[in-house]
Amino acid sequence: IEGLTPAQANVLKQDILSIGGEAAVAKGAASCAIASSGAVVSGTMKQMEILFDKLSRQSFGLPGVARCMKEALDAALAPEISLKGRTRSWTVGKKTLIMGILNVTPDSFSDGGLYMDPALALDKALSMVEDGADWIDVGGESTRPGASAVDADEEGKRVLPVVASLAAMGVAVSVDTTKASVAMAALDAGAEVINDISALSDPEMAAVCARHNCGLVIMHMRGTPLTMQSDVSYDDLVGTVYGFLQARLSHAVSLGVDPGRISVDPGIGFGKSAEGNIELIRRLGEFRSMGRPVAIGPSRKSFIAKTVGRSDEARGAGTLSACSIAVMNGAHILRVHDVRQASAAARIAEMIRG
């Protein structure tokens, strides 16, 4: 919990200690020598229920704190969540959704140049659907580290023919774009979801998504693909990413986007060190408390290559390990290149997780 007044932190700590739980608050909270305090609270589910009841009868705004704590805990423990696209919906939680990556770019880090021909792109997409992809994520602008931006006209030329063809075949499609104009054209062509790695940096993007009632994935990235790896140090990585995504989720909702259509993505490989990416996967379950599906894309990323080697075989095996652990730790959606293998890994992880 963050942003408590010293009075709130002190009462919360006293209440949880009185029923056998534990709490840690910031140094200086007891004497009110600081302006605000965070708190780490632990206890059994029964103790938490008692705590919420006690706080609901306190002053200092603590009934609101109790309500937020309960909502976050309920969301984190929810076995399933509904996710709506533009014309269809999915239930996630017990079953992990697989998002197949289709880059129609000349310079993506893994498959750049392979699917610039729309016919080859369609064949690849249909192959991924056959292998178990729930939807295909079409991207027309590389987001690899150091990549330069592509103008909207060129990006549209790359993605729109593929989106229109796949949608006409009944395939669910998301479009990986940061540009509202490209998103609008893709939705008109039949896309279900917009996958925005910039989390609505285009001021028109939220309005486009709200108007089309489409799905929306918002992701954390520090800077742009061109600059994002120049600074990968954080005082509190998970706290920073969580706070950013929560703020952008609230921003999207305030502009008319249905919260039931939004997913969040902590942005593996986007402005993070190898150690940071590993920490995000390890603590992925914390993002479930937002109450929205958690998407993650570790596929073939450099943190895997740095750990197990750069060969295709090593990156593939490392990706499957990361995907399996992500599912165990709370991922709802996996964004991957190798759909068949990732789908199999997810099914086994789901069975073990229960």
Side-chain angles (χ1 to χ4, degrees):
I1 308 165
E2 295 183 350
L4 299 172
T5 67
Q8 290 174 326
N10 289 329
V11 174
L12 187 155
K13 182 174 181 178
Q14 291 167 6
D15 279 354
I16 188 66
L17 291 176
S18 74
I19 56 177
E22 295 287 345
V25 300
K27 183 179 180 180
S31 61
C32 296
I34 55 176
S36 66
S37 172
V40 178
V41 182
S42 62
T44 65
M45 286 298 299
K46 182 63 176 177
Q47 288 169 332
M48 289 298 174
E49 291 171 3
I50 296 171
L51 174 64
F52 299 153
D53 180 65
K54 290 171 72 71
L55 293 177
S56 71
R57 292 180 276 110
Q58 295 281 9
S59 54
F60 305 114
L62 284 165
V65 174
R67 183 172 60 254
C68 290
M69 290 175 67
K70 185 178 187 306
E71 289 174 356
L73 188 59
D74 288 345
L77 298 176
E80 292 186 319
I81 307 175
S82 177
L83 173 62
K84 293 180 283 187
R86 187 177 55 84
T87 67
R88 66 185 80 194
S89 63
W90 302 268
T91 298
V92 298
K94 293 182 180 178
K95 181 179 183 293
T96 308
L97 293 185
I98 306 297
M99 187 193 311
I101 299 170
L102 182 62
N103 289 316
V104 287
T105 62
D107 56 344
S108 290
F109 80 92
S110 182
D111 54 0
L114 295 180
Y115 307 112
M116 293 293 290
D117 183 330
L120 294 176
L122 287 175
D123 286 345
K124 175 61 177 177
L126 295 176
S127 174
M128 288 193 286
V129 171
E130 186 176 339
D131 286 343
D134 294 284
W135 82 59
I136 303 300
D137 189 49
V138 182
E141 178 178 43
S142 175
T143 56
R144 61 177 171 77
S148 298
V150 173
D151 67 66
D153 287 344
E154 177 60 27
E155 186 179 348
K157 289 176 183 177
R158 294 174 182 179
V159 302
L160 294 178
V162 179
V163 171
S165 296
L166 288 173
M169 297 176 186
V171 176
V173 180
S174 62
V175 173
D176 183 351
T177 186
T178 63
K179 302 178 185 69
S181 61
V182 175
M184 182 164 59
L187 292 165
D188 288 340
E192 292 284 337
V193 178
I194 297 302
N195 180 15
D196 184 356
I197 65 166
S198 72
L200 308 178
S201 65
D202 186 325
E204 300 301 319
M205 183 67 89
V208 168
C209 293
R211 188 162 58 248
H212 285 79
N213 286 316
C214 66
L216 171 65
V217 183
I218 54 176
M219 193 193 79
H220 174 271
M221 173 176 58
R222 175 183 275 177
T224 67
L226 183 63
T227 65
M228 64 188 180
Q229 292 304 112
S230 61
D231 181 9
V232 295
S233 62
Y234 298 80
D235 291 333
D236 176 6
L237 173 61
V238 174
T240 298
V241 174
Y242 188 105
F244 173 87
L245 291 174
Q246 184 68 69
R248 299 314 287 173
L249 172 60
S250 297
H251 176 67
V253 173
S254 74
L255 293 176
V257 181
D258 177 359
R261 300 181 189 277
I262 301 175
S263 303
V264 296
D265 183 340
I268 297 296
F270 288 83
K272 285 90 177 178
S273 64
E275 295 77 14
N277 291 319
I278 291 166
E279 181 183 3
L280 286 169
I281 295 172
R282 182 186 301 122
R283 297 176 59 184
L284 198 62
E286 297 177 35
F287 293 91
R288 291 174 64 108
S289 64
M290 292 186 196
R292 300 311 312 143
V294 178
I296 191 165
S299 188
R300 303 181 185 173
K301 293 288 175 71
S302 63
F303 82 96
I304 294 172
K306 289 178 181 177
T307 304
V308 298
R310 296 185 175 277
S311 70
D312 290 345
E313 182 180 4
R315 283 193 186 224
T319 295
L320 295 182
S321 296
C323 286
S324 298
I325 294 168
V327 171
M328 294 289 289
N329 288 348
H332 297 100
I333 304 168
L334 297 177
R335 183 177 183 273
V336 295
H337 297 87
D338 302 310
V339 167
R340 179 180 298 175
Q341 296 90 329
S343 180
R347 301 293 88 83
I348 298 299
E350 291 157 1
M351 288 191 295
I352 295 170
R353 182 190 63 197

